């Protein structure tokens, strides 16, 4: 902590001469307190008469002796018995606030947290720097490396004269390719003779993976019917059939086909399911519509009590 001393020999600033009259000073004892005074000296407008502001009061500061590298202090001035303890407390509080601690970080953003622990020994302007101790750079230890035996490199073979080869024209390939003499070592496929008939004509009903015929807009009949998956699985014979783009089934027709895929139905059952007054006429019209697109899906079943029945033709 700071000390309150009566000083007889001191300097007003590092550039001033010695003064020999008595003054009461609060002298810095720790580096944190000394740094508060050094900071105030660096920010003073008149460094020949440096001062510090403590709680709104401007107080004179300077070296507390004739040694420029010694500690600095604050001149108390008048009424030292009352002001000296108060100034000492303010200096220590400023030092703690500037240095920070574990629970009280530094208040100044431009101060490094490790600045207090650097051994600079700058107790005054112009003092020589004391750099931190660093490990001396010693040359690395070099171990003796034994000589490596030379390896024998075989001599390159002597250059031999190679007579030039005359270019030979390859004969035209035979019409039929002969089997190779070493089939177990041959890895490339045998050439195939080209057909002289020209290109094959395109297929009439060539369809894509989705069932479309190129350019016609037609689609697979199974896709356009839109039946349940287990019912469509029974209609494998219709895979190659296509229907034009205007083919369409309404909801009631598709419902009847899905029900026929479950089992045989009577005309009365179809009428109750679709709520139609004449189910026989409805089924005859649906059968003619499907046959018009070459889709023979419905066939008559065995009559039950004189009532017609219908079933799905698998």
């Amino acid at each position: 902590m700071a000390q309150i001393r009566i000083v007889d020999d001191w300097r007003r600033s590092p550039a001033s001469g010695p003064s020999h009259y008595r003054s009461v000073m609060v002298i810095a004892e720790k580096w944190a307190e000394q740094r508060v005074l050094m900071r105030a000296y660096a920010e003073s407008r008149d460094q020949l008469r440096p001062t510090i502001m403590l709680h709104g009061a401007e107080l004179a500061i300077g070296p507390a002796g004739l040694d420029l590298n010694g500690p600095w202090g604050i001149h108390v001035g008048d009424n030292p018995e009352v002001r000296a303890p108060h100034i000492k407390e303010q200096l220590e509080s400023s030092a703690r606030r500037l240095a920070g601690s574990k629970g009280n970080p530094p208040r100044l953003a431009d101060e490094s947290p490790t600045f207090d622990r650097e051994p600079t020994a700058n107790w005054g302007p112009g003092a020589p720097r004391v750099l931190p101790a660093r490990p001396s750079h010693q040359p690395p230890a070099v171990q003796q490396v034994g000589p490596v035996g030379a390896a024998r490199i075989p001599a390159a073979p002597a250059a031999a004269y190679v007579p030039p080869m005359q270019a030979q024209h390859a004969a035209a390939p035979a019409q039929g390719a002969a089997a190779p003499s070493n089939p177990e070592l041959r890895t490339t496929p045998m050439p195939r003779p080209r057909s002289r008939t020209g290109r094959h004509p395109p297929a009439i009903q060539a369809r894509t993976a989705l069932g479309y015929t190129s350019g016609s807009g037609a689609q697979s009949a199974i896709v356009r019917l839109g039946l349940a998956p287990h019912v469509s699985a029974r209609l494998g014979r219709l895979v190659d059939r296509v229907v034009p783009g205007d083919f369409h089934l309404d909801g009631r027709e598709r419902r009847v086909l899905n029900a026929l895929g479950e089992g045989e139905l009577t005309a009365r059952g179809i009428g109750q399911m679709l709520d139609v007054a004449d189910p026989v006429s409805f089924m005859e019209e649906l059968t003619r519509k499907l046959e018009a697109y070459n889709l023979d899906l419905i066939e008559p079943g065995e009559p039950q009590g004189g009532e017609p029945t219908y079933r799905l033709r698998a």
Side-chain angles (χ1 to χ4, degrees):
M1 58 180 60
Q3 300 178 357
I4 302 175
R5 289 286 185 267
I6 300 175
V7 183
D8 293 330
D9 300 318
W10 48 274
R11 293 177 182 268
R12 183 63 183 89
S13 71
S16 303
S19 299
H20 300 288
Y21 65 89
R22 182 168 298 179
S23 175
V24 178
M25 301 183 67
V26 177
I27 303 175
E29 186 180 18
K30 296 183 178 180
W31 167 240
E33 301 163 353
Q34 180 77 2
R35 188 173 58 170
V36 173
L37 302 180
M38 292 293 99
R39 190 180 185 90
Y41 171 76
E43 295 177 354
S44 295
R45 293 184 178 183
D46 186 2
Q47 291 191 342
L48 295 178
R49 295 178 178 83
T51 58
I52 187 174
M53 293 293 296
L54 289 179
H55 293 270
E58 187 174 12
L59 303 174
I61 61 174
L66 301 180
D67 186 7
L68 296 179
N69 297 328
W72 279 41
I74 304 175
H75 293 273
V76 176
D78 300 333
N79 198 6
E81 292 83 359
V82 178
R83 299 183 60 189
H86 183 59
I87 295 175
K88 173 178 177 295
E89 182 181 355
Q90 292 179 4
L91 178 60
E92 294 174 352
S93 176
S94 300
R96 286 193 300 268
R97 184 169 59 252
L98 185 63
S101 60
K102 184 176 181 181
N104 184 22
R107 302 296 178 88
L108 300 178
D110 59 340
E111 294 291 342
S112 175
T114 59
F115 188 79
D116 295 339
R117 297 184 290 274
E118 293 295 336
T120 58
N122 288 337
W123 286 91
R129 294 185 62 192
V130 179
L131 298 177
R134 292 184 175 88
S136 60
H137 296 281
Q138 298 180 357
V142 180
Q143 298 179 358
Q144 183 180 3
V145 180
V148 180
R152 181 180 179 275
I153 302 176
Y161 175 75
V162 179
M165 299 290 293
Q166 294 183 358
Q168 297 181 359
H169 298 283
Q175 191 66 266
S181 60
N182 53 350
E184 67 279 355
L185 300 178
R186 189 177 183 90
T187 58
T188 56
M190 290 291 296
R192 295 183 180 180
R194 282 193 170 186
S195 175
R196 295 179 179 272
T197 58
R199 296 184 178 180
H200 297 282
I204 301 300
Q205 294 292 338
R207 291 185 300 276
T208 61
L210 294 179
Y212 287 99
T213 302
S214 177
S216 65
Q219 194 175 9
S220 172
I222 296 180
V223 176
R224 295 301 301 271
L225 286 172
L227 303 180
H230 65 281
V231 179
S232 299
R234 298 177 53 186
L235 304 178
R237 59 188 178 86
L238 301 179
V239 172
D240 296 334
R241 299 189 188 182
V242 294
V243 292
D246 58 351
F247 176 78
H248 175 69
L249 290 179
D250 58 20
R252 296 192 304 172
E253 295 170 345
R254 188 172 289 108
R255 185 178 178 187
V256 169
L257 293 178
N258 284 327
L260 292 178
E262 301 289 344
E264 188 174 316
L265 293 177
T266 62
R268 180 180 301 177
I270 295 175
Q272 294 176 356
M273 179 177 60
L274 302 180
D275 194 16
V276 294
D278 191 358
V280 177
S281 300
F282 176 82
M283 292 302 297
E284 290 177 355
E285 183 178 355
L286 176 59
T287 303
R288 287 193 299 267
K289 177 180 179 179
L290 294 175
E291 290 177 352
Y293 292 99
N294 196 20
L295 300 176
D296 49 345
L297 298 180
I298 303 175
E299 64 179 0
E302 297 294 334
Q304 296 181 6
E307 185 177 358
T309 60
Y310 306 93
R311 62 188 177 187
L312 191 67
R313 180 177 295 174

